Amino acid sequence: MTSAFVSAKKQLDQVEPYLGKEYARGLKLLKKPQKIIKGKVLGYRAFRVQYNNARGPFKGGIRFHPNVNEDEMKALAFWMTVKCAVVGIPFGGSKGGVAVDTSGLSREELKRLSFAYADFITPYIGPWQDVPAPDVNTDGQIMAWMLEEYERKTSQQSPATFTGKPVELGGSQGRIEATGLGGVTVLKEYLKSCPTSPRLRRVALAVQGFGNVGYWFAHFAQKEGFKVVAVSNSKGGIYYSKGLKIGKMADSFKPNITNAELLALPVDVLVPAALENTLTKDNASAVRAKLVLEMANGPTTPEAEEILLKKGIDVLPDVLCNAGGVTVSYFEWAQNLSGYYWPKERVLAEEKKVLTTAFANIYRVVSQKKISYRQAAFILAVGRILEAMMLRGRI
Ligand code: NAD
């Protein structure tokens, strides 16, 4: 199994030649997280990796999944650091998780686990320290339980400690759909930049992963006029070449293709929106899409990306495509700290502005230097992180 953290460090190595020599020490420091918190929660292995906070408080989701391990947490925390810098929001990066299969847990057991994990990380989190959010198999309800435990232990109201909360507890309008919507914004900007902008309804998309991110991505893509021909979850996928009706489609469809088949469909855009290491050196040559738009974190290994780029397939990186989620989390944190809440129209308009600007900046570097979108995104982001580290006297 490819180590996600090894992949992340390879991505960092690829931009080293483009950064000044004065940053060499900083780059070395960026290959290690600042702090790793690990232990057991109700008998399950639990982690919080605080990667880098040069640009602001640590920020990153909490994952409940049987494959959660230290290597994965480090990679995801690193990508959060890069992502916040790509979109220019004042956060560092972190990630947390519990190695647990939640499918067999009752609601009461899930609640107990959420309280116990919050208890475990309470000394290390807070609005100006580290701000968690939902990730795979966690959601607004779980954030609400964790907030309750954190506030009980610290004897204060502190909604800005968690983002992705239900609106009733200080969550932001638009947060649930923000990540998917952001990906569609990036896709539209990319297509606008193509020499001949195709008609949207002719652009066929296949989406792997139909959770929070995949569902909302497919939903908005269809609403904007794209043709979503396939979606999948961990059990398999559903393919209909004339286009599926996403609407309120549930996650319980009857599969007619496997996930491996979905990745090789004759579509224009392939959207991995499940987990890391989906596209590897073993299956990348089967990809027939013209564009891979990464909505999951780390779905393409560096070896797979090399194969895709050689085939002339562009890869729009996770640190840009799924940054809509953390952008609206930033708005949620800012609303909580100010106590003034924005209407949904403002949230979505500001999210769009942030992502459009980030795409334009990356596109400029891609065009000037003739490099990949990931390299361009990393050059901009890593440059910002290293500058902050330098200003603080860390390097
Ligand atoms: P989720 O738990 O809501 O959904 C995950 C989906 O992936 C489910 O449909 C599940 O069935 C499917 N899946 C799991 N294993 C699979 C496999 N082997 N093959 C195919 N499908 C599989 O999680 P989510 O919040 O949608 O997160 C998905 C990805 O997006 C993750 O990489 C996450 O880190 C990233 N992400 C999430 C957010 C967010 O706001 N939730 C923000 C940025 C990035």
Side-chain angles (χ1 to χ4, degrees):
M1 182 71 168
T2 317
S3 148
F5 193 49
V6 167
S7 296
K9 284 189 289 189
K10 270 191 198 155
Q11 293 169 346
L12 191 56
D13 286 339
Q14 284 175 0
V15 296
E16 189 163 359
Y18 299 93
L19 297 164
K21 289 226 171 353
E22 69 274 24
Y23 289 136
R25 201 176 111 71
L27 278 169
K28 212 171 147 204
L29 279 180
L30 257 191
K31 288 193 173 165
K32 269 199 200 148
Q34 287 177 215
K35 193 177 179 72
I36 300 177
I37 301 135
K38 54 184 171 179
K40 287 251 170 137
V41 162
L42 302 185
Y44 301 108
R45 276 178 305 125
F47 303 89
R48 185 78 186 164
V49 173
Q50 298 180 323
Y51 205 92
N52 184 286
N53 64 354
R55 300 186 63 263
F58 297 110
K59 180 86 191 80
I62 296 168
R63 179 175 290 197
F64 286 174
H65 193 279
N67 294 350
V68 161
N69 60 58
E70 188 172 324
D71 177 272
E72 180 191 55
M73 292 290 111
K74 286 196 291 193
L76 291 166
F78 169 74
W79 287 321
M80 280 305 298
T81 311
V82 174
K83 190 183 307 181
C84 292
V86 164
V87 283
I89 58 175
F91 284 130
S94 55
K95 202 81 182 188
V98 181
V100 58
D101 180 359
T102 51
S103 62
L105 298 187
S106 67
R107 185 181 157 83
E108 204 43 47
E109 286 167 333
L110 196 56
K111 182 175 166 187
R112 270 210 306 136
L113 179 63
S114 305
F115 271 69
Y117 181 76
D119 192 38
F120 168 66
I121 56 170
T122 285
Y124 310 99
I125 61 171
W128 295 106
Q129 200 174 350
D130 185 356
V131 184
D135 190 70
V136 173
N137 293 325
T138 57
D139 58 10
Q141 172 62 79
I142 288 175
M143 294 306 112
W145 287 328
M146 291 190 181
L147 177 70
E148 172 70 1
E149 177 63 2
Y150 176 80
E151 291 185 340
R152 198 185 60 76
K153 291 221 50 164
T154 56
S155 308
Q156 58 173 341
Q157 290 272 314
S158 183
T161 299
F162 291 87
T163 61
K165 301 178 296 291
V167 171
E168 293 78 3
L169 298 183
S172 179
Q173 298 285 347
R175 173 61 184 90
I176 290 179
E177 60 267 49
T179 310
L181 179 63
V184 176
T185 304
V186 171
L187 176 57
K188 284 174 67 186
E189 291 305 305
Y190 171 85
L191 292 175
K192 270 194 233 160
S193 77
C194 293
T196 48
S197 254
R199 287 236 188 107
L200 301 194
R201 67 188 161 77
R202 296 237 177 100
V203 178
L205 318 178
V207 183
Q208 188 219 27
F210 204 55
N212 173 283
V213 175
Y215 167 75
W216 285 108
F217 179 90
H219 170 93
F220 285 112
Q222 189 164 68
K223 211 167 144 208
E224 289 289 333
F226 292 99
K227 192 163 77 161
V228 181
V229 298
V231 299
S232 73
N233 58 25
S234 54
K235 297 190 187 85
I238 175 158
Y239 173 52
Y240 182 54
S241 63
K242 291 199 175 125
L244 299 163
K245 280 204 175 68
I246 301 299
K248 293 202 160 71
M249 201 169 128
D251 193 19
S252 54
F253 46 78
K254 199 164 162 250
N256 62 10
I257 53 167
T258 63
N259 268 293
E261 284 165 345
L262 180 139
L263 299 177
L265 283 175
V267 290
D268 299 296
V269 187
L270 176 63
V271 185
L275 295 171
E276 53 273 14
N277 292 335
T278 298
L279 293 169
T280 66
K281 63 177 177 6
D282 301 323
N283 61 6
S285 17
V287 172
R288 285 193 277 170
K290 300 181 191 87
L291 172 71
V292 171
L293 187 141
E294 296 183 336
M295 288 305 289
N297 284 310
T300 316
T301 66
E303 296 74 23
E305 183 164 22
E306 208 181 310
I307 296 171
L308 296 170
L309 295 176
K310 273 201 187 124
K311 283 177 63 162
I313 301 171
D314 274 339
V315 180
L316 291 180
D318 46 7
V319 289
L320 169 68
C321 298
N322 68 31
V326 75
T327 300
V328 175
S329 274
Y330 164 52
F331 299 157
E332 180 175 337
W333 175 83
Q335 291 172 75
N336 293 152
L337 290 176
S338 69
Y340 176 76
Y341 288 84
W342 308 355
K344 192 170 184 171
E345 296 70 39
R346 176 174 174 194
V347 173
L348 301 184
E350 298 225 7
E351 176 191 355
K352 193 171 165 195
K353 210 157 59 182
V354 167
L355 290 174
T356 307
T357 306
F359 179 86
N361 290 338
I362 292 169
Y363 183 70
R364 201 170 314 120
V365 179
V366 168
S367 311
Q368 279 164 2
K369 300 196 190 291
K370 307 281 173 240
I371 54 178
S372 72
Y373 283 84
R374 188 181 324 273
Q375 280 174 308
F378 267 61
I379 288 173
L380 290 172
V382 174
R384 287 172 187 158
I385 299 162
L386 293 174
E387 193 59 41
M389 288 168 74
M390 205 168 243
L391 284 167
R392 286 175 178 275
R394 291 187 189 176
I395 49 176

